[in-house]
Amino acid sequence: MAAVNGEVSFWYAAEGVPQPGPALPGDRDVDVCVVGGGYTGLWTAYYVKKAEPDLRVALLERRFCGYGASGRNGGWLYNGFAGRGAFARTYGRGRAAAMQRVMDASVGEVVETAAAEGIEADVVRGGVLEVARSRPQLERLRAFAETERGYGEGRVEELSAKEAGERVNAAGVLGGAWSPYGARIQPAKLVRGLARVVRELGVEVYEGTPVTGIVPGGDGRRPRAVTPYGTVTADRVLRATEGFTAGLRGERRTWLPMNSAMVATEPLSAEFWAEAGWQGREVLGDFAHAYMYAQRTADDRIALGGRGVPYRFGSRTDSDGSTQVETVRQLRRILNDFFPAAAHARIDHAWAGVLGVPRDWCATVELDRASGLGWAGGYVGSGVTATNLAGRTLRDLVLGRDTELTALPWVGHTVRRWEPEPLRWLGVQAMYAAYHAADRQEAAGRATTSPIARVADLVSGRI
């Protein structure tokens, strides 16, 4: 089992979990109030303040900046975003392609901005390597590569088993797909650096300040964020709470808080890395239905994640990142399966977090001028890069700019609410049970994608 379970995440192990900064000292009146101190909130505050330094911007965070998914994720800075296929069907292929081009460029935007602001986040632009380890996975890989080529040549390179193994020598690989639009990062270093920078810009950051309600404006009233320590009134109140959105009054069915869990090994030997390769530090994933994601860390560990227990009844969230023993065992099995030479490596840390899942699995950005309320999120696990784009898009909406970003299809996209309990819990449990069953069928030798997975995709709203 893991030496440490929880304590927010492994990414804080070296420097320790941050202590919250000063809380809101009382009522405040500002121009822009951001609720949530993760990537979305920090990028939004950053870009708004850089664009208009005289604006008064306040950011409210329940614990400390980076407590949620921004400080717990797998460190995949890549160009995926939730909902591309749905956006293409609803708004047209051209608008979906425009968003993909902007997402491609956003990988570089994050890397370059971090460098310009002196944020050291262990960034390596090794791209994204996704591998197939069964015939159905290989079928899906080829379909994925064909779809990607439809959005522009050079976006993905299809690899043979030998070529994929030369990048990362994982067991049982039949083929791979590599994209240049990706980088490995240390998530907590990025979020802590962003928090430092926004404070230096003059953003008022109040930590240890839970927001108990967001009140819309209208009829001459301005919107407000209500906390136990005072109320912040602003021209615009922007919700950036992602997986914790269900904890706000009236938002329980807006986005489902999906759990994802990770483990980190001890630092692995030079002999292991000589066999495993991974010299390019690509972020690594697969084409299983209940997929895994991994990276080679700066200190030569493997950090690997997967879904574990996908959802807690009533949209409850975890306590400081602790995860179930069975989830740790499950991730250990995946690690051993991919890298048999690491079978005896110690697991130093296990943790979990939540990500926001809309009912149609499409991320959104919105600003309602009548109420003064805005929001962004629902990234379905693709938020490390998408949050940056969301922050820039919210900046343009707040400042009333008509730009390429405000014309993207996720702006103003309407999502229906999740079903009430117990239907929500039953549906998610059934969906992931189906995906795991499909993976078992395919690993046992099935030649094509399991129909169980196709039904689960349809029921879940993912297609």
Side-chain angles (χ1 to χ4, degrees), residues 127-148:
V128 182
L129 175 64
E130 296 177 275
V131 297
R133 301 174 68 243
S134 69
R135 289 173 63 192
Q137 286 190 32
L138 189 60
E139 174 189 83
R140 293 193 292 274
L141 182 154
R142 289 168 176 162
F144 163 78
E146 182 65 27
T147 299
E148 291 302 298

Side-chain angles (χ1 to χ4, degrees), residues 352-399:
V354 293
L355 49 101
V357 179
R359 188 62 183 86
D360 66 354
W361 300 68
C362 293
T364 55
V365 178
E366 177 66 287
L367 177 64
D368 177 44
R369 300 196 177 280
S371 67
L373 301 184
W375 58 88
Y379 307 115
V380 196
S382 300
V384 179
T385 310
T387 50
N388 175 274
L389 178 58
R392 288 182 284 137
T393 305
L394 281 171
R395 170 203 60 196
D396 289 353
L397 292 169
V398 165
L399 299 181

